[in-house]
Each structure stands twice: as C-alpha cells, then as structure tokens.
Amino acid sequence: MQPTPSLPGELDASRVIVTLATELKTVPSLEELASGGFSQVMTDHMILVSYDPVHGWSAPEIKPYGPLSMMPASACFPYAINAFEGMKAYMGPDGIPRLFRPEKNMARFARSAARVALPAFNPTELLKIIRQLVTIDKRWVPAAKGHSLYIRPMIIGTRSSLNLSISDSALLWVMCAPSGPYFRNTRPLSLFAATDAVRAWPGGTGEHKIATNYGPTLTHHQRAQAANHDMNLWLLGDKITEAGIMNFFVVLRRDDGDLDVLTPPLDGTILPGITRESILALAAAHPSRMILPGLSEETRLHPAERELTMPDLETWLADGNVVEVFVVGTAVVVSSIGHIAWGAKEIVLPQYGDALGPVSKALRERILDIQEGEFEWEDWCVPCV
Amino acid sequence: MQPTPSLPGELDASRVIVTLATELKTVPSLEELASGGFSQVMTDHMILVSYDPVHGWSAPEIKPYGPLSMMPASACFPYAINAFEGMKAYMGPDGIPRLFRPEKNMARFARSAARVALPAFNPTELLKIIRQLVTIDKRWVPAAKGHSLYIRPMIIGTRSSLNLSISDSALLWVMCAPSGPYFRNTRPLSLFAATDAVRAWPGGTGEHKIATNYGPTLTHHQRAQAANHDMNLWLLGDKITEAGIMNFFVVLRRDDGDLDVLTPPLDGTILPGITRESILALAAAHPSRMILPGLSEETRLHPAERELTMPDLETWLADGNVVEVFVVGTAVVVSSIGHIAWGAKEIVLPQYGDALGPVSKALRERILDIQEGEFEWEDWCVPCV
C-alpha cells in the first residue's frame, strides 16, 4: 500500500511559529513621525512564509525583522513578479489596535498576486497572522489622531532562472512601520497634469497593486516637483485617472442644490482604492443613515463613478459649479487639490485657506473617527486581540 | 585647512577585487543545454557592486556566485525600480570568447536604469568588468554552433523605505548561464494575437528594458500556450508591436522583384533590440557590401522601419506578396512565424517546412557567423582577453 501523498501546504495561520526578538528597538516619538511619510524604522517583527512547488506554503514565521537571503537569479528582479498591499492599524481609545477593512486589502492582494501568476494563498489565513503580528508589535501603534501603523504585505517570485516564465516559488512577508500624517499640513496640493506620460492603459495593469505601476512614475514625479508641484496628475488622453498614487474626486453643485461626489469608474486603469470605496459609501450614507460632521442634513450628497475629463473640469469651473477637488488613499487618507497645471493652462480650483473643503473635511473626519475607533460603522474595523 | 571632500565613487574597473571560487561547479554538457532556454546553472562567478549616496559606487567585486542579503523594505520589491540586460558571449574558433556589440547593451542598460531614476554608472567601465568576468569563467562558454554564454546584468533600487520615492541606493550585479539554442527545433512558431492585452502604450515604458514590461505578460503567455500557440503577439489596436519578447519582421515581394524587410519603428512602444538593429544593418549591406549566405546577388533587400498593422498583413497575404514573417532577439536570434490567431481569424503565413524562410535563414546564418567569430564584420565582436 502506497502512503497517501501529502498535499502541497496551504497558507495556514494555525502553523505559525513565533520567534520573539531578544532586543527590542526604540519606538520613534510622535515628533519623529511628524516629518511626513512613513517611518523608515520597521517594527521589531515581521511575517515570513515561503512557497515552493513541492511543499506549497511553509509554516508561517513571525520573527525579528531582518534581511532576506535571495538568489541573484530570482525572477522578481528582472521581471517584476511582485505584488503588495498597504494597510493601516489604528490605536483605539480602548488601547486595542484596529485594522480598517483589512479583508478588502487581503482580497486585492490575492487578485494582484494572480495578475502576475504568483501562487495562490488563503487571504483569510493571512489576515489572522497579520492580526497576530499587530498584537505582538502593539507598542508600535501610535496613539494619536492621524497616526497609525502602516502595514506592508509583499509577495515576490523567487524562481531562480534567467528565463521569463511563471515563478513556481515565492516569498511572502509582512512588515510594519509607524507613520504620522502623510503631509505636514493640510494646504491644498498642486498637480502637474503631464500630457506625455501615461500611468495605465486599457489592457494594462493599472487596476492591480503590482510593482509595475510604480517605478516608471518616479521620473515624472521628479519633474512635477522640479516645477514646484506636489505630484503628477495622470491623464489618459483628456481623461483624469489618478493623482500621484491616489484616487481623484470632484464635488459639483447641482442645479437642485445637491452635491455630486464624482470619481472615475473602475475601467481597468484605476486602482480600486479602499479609501475610495469607503468615501463613496460614506457619502451615500449622508444624511439618510448618518450625518457627516460639519455637513447639514439639508446637504444631500450623490456619490457616483463617472468619467472625468480635463475639459469637463474646465467647463464646470467656468460655470462656477465646482465645490472642491480632493484625492484619497490609504497613506494620505484625504487631501485637497488647489491647482492643476495642464499644458499651458493653469487651472485654479476652489480653496478654503489651508483647510479642506466642506465635503472632504466631513469625509476625512468621519473616516478617521471610524479608523480610530471613535465611531462604529458596519464592522469596518477589525480589532487585533 | 579643511581636507578635500572625497567625491562619490564612480564605477571603476581598475578597482575590481577578485575573489575566486575555491570549488568549481560542473559545467553542463551540450546535451544538458539542448532542452531549450537558458541553463538554470549559473557560472562560478558574478560581478557585484553597490551604490550608496555617501560613497557612490563601491569597489566592484568579482566573487563566487551566491545569495544576496537584502532588507525586506528595499524599494525594488514593491516599486519595480529595476533594469536589466541580456547579452551573449560566443566561443570563437581561436578559443577566445567574443561579446556581440556589447557597447549597445551597456548604453541601453544605462538608459533603462535612468528611466526608473537609478544612479548613473559608467557603461564603459562596466563592460571592462564584464569582459574580465567572461575571461575568468571562460570554461563555461560553450564551443558549439548556436550555443553561447548568456550574460545578465541587473540593477535594482535598494533604498530601505516604504515610501514611494527615488532610490538613493542600488545594487548592480552580473551573472551568467550557458545556453543552447532557444527553441529545440526550427519549426515555425504560432502566435496568439490578443486583442484585450496591451504590452506597452505611448507615454509608457515599452522602449526600456525594465522589469515592468515582463511580469504582466505571464498570464497572457500562459493563455496563448493553453490555446496551443507558442506565445503572444502584442498589438496596440491593429498595430503589430512585438511577439513574445522579440521584435517582429515581415518580408514582402515588391512589384520590381526586390524584397522589403520591414519592422515597426521605434515609436516608444518597441524595445530597441540589438538583434533587430543588426538585422536591419545586415539586410542593408546585401548585396552591395557583402552577399548573405544562400541569397543571390540579384535579390535586393530594402530594410525599413514602418508601421505594420494586422489588416496590412491580411492584404499583403491576399495579394501573395508575403515572403515570410520572422522574429528576432538576443535569446532566440531568429525564428520563423507560421501562424497567427487574431480574434476569430486564423492567419496562415508562408512556410518552408521545418526550415526558416530564405531571408531569415540568410540573416540568421550570417549573424551567427559574426557572433561566433567565423565572419568579421565592422568590429561587432569584442574579444574577452
């Protein structure tokens, strides 16, 4: 009688092997986190799990953050067989860290990995391990408004071969770094709408969180900053797609006095942002299911996904219908746009001093309240205990 | 008096530190190389050199091939801040390995690295170090027709930060693997012309040898193979761009009996292949400057870069003007195309049994003769001594 062949291992949270760091690092102070972006100091621990075609997924490890050993011929280097996620843990008033809609990140992570033909994994199991990691590194979750622990899941193809082919081996890890507010202040951002640079196109990869969408944007970002703008506005012809690495929104006053809250549809060129989706959901809930802070019950919001073009924006501005333009993302949450350079044109948008406009301000406050556990909403927060 | 601050180091071949392997590997036999693609066995040694913003380029090392130590937060993983090259060394009849037009690879490597804002390096110095590596690993260069040592230079951004920003640190390495003929036989290939998948777009990265152009093609390649085709034909609308990871050529009989040798122009969506450029140059040299093997002096070739569309190809086929269609690249050299599936259409191209067509056969033979040192042509070969 033959022994039953063992199935390749699934990613399994019950198999986690924890090795705690013997020396713990100093957690950056809130002042040190105030310089913008994420801290470059990673927390004490990371998740590491590997896949090979014989054994499948290894037993996941939670272990001290440290270097990886990689073969130079690993497929991830020349071929960008890489996918990742960005998500945040927030410290609640009860001292319990909370993840914001993490099952959305896990599902997108699995889709992104599949786009570059990486091995499948069970997203529910991965989330269990991430919750365990956040619990272990809980002292790194900053307890201050607008602060959070940024969490970066990463998967790469490690097949050692110079041929371009599907990677039958992979490495998946999760690392964390505390972060302060993404921008130092809330002044409106200025965008450079490049007409010679395209981030994503039909039949490409723009809707996936894979490495290919990022590296090529660096030189354009550099050029935008050299021209005294904060970042690039990505167009596809005249169509507005994304700003920097964020989703784009415009708020229009309608003839009936209501407000349209518009963002481009998920046509394949747009990253399906989780903040984007949450903003649309919160706007739809006002005022029937909840009142957004600072907005009156009479202000009705009509969130919708529709194609937005630069000429549309010009027309709406000329007609005096634009209330505000803003961008959203996991890192920035919500930020205001004050200005767009588009070819020879300088487009000036409505500004509210150094503050956000009324709709983005209301949405940002509400989403932060939910993220930080001050406002309960539809199980969007998953506690790490 | 202040000491003169030292300038950041340039990449400098005179600073090479050589550490030879103490145990040498077994070189694969020609039979073992006959299975197609590149060997997965790397040679004994590699080049490794690092860049940091304080010291610039380190002293280059030639050292035993082995694993790299990398921080998990290195920018190359999520953001594809990676560029590479593919080039070959051929064993000459005099026992001296030769590189084929390596200065072209070096120049493209520098351009690709700049596209993802990686630190600049001196390509001439890098070539000197590569020649030294090939000399040290000379026993790995196969001495057989159609065989070569494939050389893979690679540069990646290693800045340790979760923020998307320019990498001020980098790692550059060069590794080698012996290779047999890319395809096991010379039967014509079948292409699947996907209408829903686009490799490159104007304003994108198609003309650069950077990681972003490769990972997203894997699922399309998988689909083409599942439908019994060899690889994908990449279209942009109706325009033919590339096939698999190769440049595309069509040979047409003109009214005057001469032959047009056509390939799409370098409009930004096409990789400027060095085999492509060499094929155009050799076709232009026949018959005035040299006679291609097997072609008569009366056969005049007119190489040209021009836009090629699928409807063009259909018209030319209906008119009986297509002599042959072929693809070229460093790995494959020259290969014949026999069939293209395009939507519901099955396009059957002229075939010459299991052999190449007359023009591609002549060009392949001449280019191999030049690469292998059997035919001297315009300093295209650089000996490694």
Side-chain angles (χ1 to χ4, degrees), chain B residues 1-6:
Chain B
M1 198 176 127
Q2 293 290 316
T4 310
S6 60

Side-chain angles (χ1 to χ4, degrees), chain A residues 176-189:
Chain A
C176 310
S179 73
Y182 195 75
F183 291 113
R184 282 165 219 235
N185 53 50
T186 53
R187 71 164 175 80
L189 303 174

Side-chain angles (χ1 to χ4, degrees), chain A residues 316-360:
Chain A
W316 295 327
L317 277 166
D319 294 345
N321 294 333
V322 178
V323 177
E324 58 172 312
V325 171
F326 63 91
V327 292
V328 311
T330 294
V332 72
V333 189
V334 177
S335 202
S336 184
I337 306 298
H339 181 268
I340 303 174
W342 178 44
K345 294 181 182 173
E346 298 287 333
I347 297 173
V348 179
L349 300 164
Q351 295 181 27
Y352 300 85
D354 269 354
L356 296 171
V359 177
S360 61

Side-chain angles (χ1 to χ4, degrees), chain A residues 68 70 77 79 82 115 211 215-216, chain B residues 68 70 77 79 82 115 215-216:
Chain A
L68 306 170
M70 296 204 48
F77 294 126
Y79 303 133
N82 301 5
R115 179 65 184 83
Chain B
L68 306 170
M70 296 205 46
F77 294 125
Y79 303 132
N82 301 5
R115 180 64 183 85

Side-chain angles (χ1 to χ4, degrees), chain A residues 46-84:
Chain A
M46 66 186 291
I47 297 167
L48 186 65
V49 53
S50 64
Y51 180 94
D52 74 64
V54 176
H55 306 94
W57 289 105
S58 67
E61 289 180 88
I62 294 180
K63 52 179 256 180
Y65 177 82
L68 306 170
S69 175
M70 296 204 48
M71 291 314 286
S74 295
C76 63
F77 294 126
Y79 303 133
I81 307 179
N82 301 5
F84 70 104

Side-chain angles (χ1 to χ4, degrees), chain A residues 98-339:
Chain A
R98 286 165 170 74
L99 295 166
F100 180 69
R101 310 187 81 182
E103 70 289 350
K104 298 267 173 196
N105 294 96
M106 292 298 102
R108 188 171 65 182
F109 191 36
R111 286 198 308 274
S112 299
R115 179 65 184 83
V116 285
L118 281 166
F121 54 85
N122 183 327
T124 308
E125 292 298 301
L126 181 58
L127 179 52
K128 285 183 197 165
I129 311 169
I130 291 176
R131 288 170 71 185
Q132 191 175 353
L133 174 66
V134 173
T135 305
I136 289 173
D137 277 346
K138 183 175 159 178
R139 71 190 186 99
W140 289 83
V141 186
K145 189 95 183 163
H147 291 63
S148 59
L149 184 69
Y150 185 83
I151 301 167
R152 166 63 54 84
M154 183 84 238
I155 181 170
I156 65 171
T158 52
R159 178 162 193 254
S160 180
S161 166
L162 302 185
N163 289 305
L164 174 61
S165 59
I166 285 172
S167 184
D168 57 6
S169 305
L171 207 56
L172 187 161
W173 69 89
V174 182
M175 55 201 156
C176 310
S179 73
Y182 195 75
F183 291 113
R184 282 165 219 235
N185 53 50
T186 53
R187 71 164 175 80
L189 303 174
S190 174
L191 305 180
F192 180 79
T195 52
D196 62 346
V198 174
R199 175 191 169 274
W201 53 85
T205 62
E207 67 188 323
H208 295 285
K209 207 158 176 74
I210 60 177
T212 53
N213 296 328
Y214 297 87
T217 68
L218 291 171
T219 50
H220 300 300
H221 183 65
Q222 200 170 30
R223 181 177 63 175
Q225 293 209 317
N228 287 315
H229 301 284
D230 292 288
M231 57 190 64
N232 210 75
L233 176 63
W234 297 101
L235 304 179
L236 185 61
D238 282 345
K239 261 169 58 178
I240 295 168
T241 61
E242 295 188 19
I245 48 174
M246 291 170 276
N247 291 119
F248 187 95
F249 280 80
V250 56
V251 180
L252 298 181
R253 189 172 308 282
R254 300 158 35 137
D255 293 341
D256 61 6
D258 287 5
L259 301 179
D260 281 330
V261 180
L262 307 177
T263 193
L266 301 179
D267 65 357
T269 68
I270 307 277
L271 188 80
I274 293 155
T275 311
R276 174 189 179 278
E277 184 183 338
S278 304
I279 289 283
L280 288 172
L282 294 177
H286 174 93
S288 58
R289 298 184 50 222
M290 69 149 136
I291 307 295
L292 286 174
L295 282 193
S296 86
E297 268 185 76
E298 281 68 53
T299 306
R300 265 187 301 230
L301 303 180
H302 301 274
E305 297 171 270
R306 63 160 278 190
E307 194 176 297
L308 306 175
T309 68
M310 291 301 292
D312 284 343
L313 193 56
E314 285 188 294
T315 306
W316 295 327
L317 277 166
D319 294 345
N321 294 333
V322 178
V323 177
E324 58 172 312
V325 171
F326 63 91
V327 292
V328 311
T330 294
V332 72
V333 189
V334 177
S335 202
S336 184
I337 306 298
H339 181 268

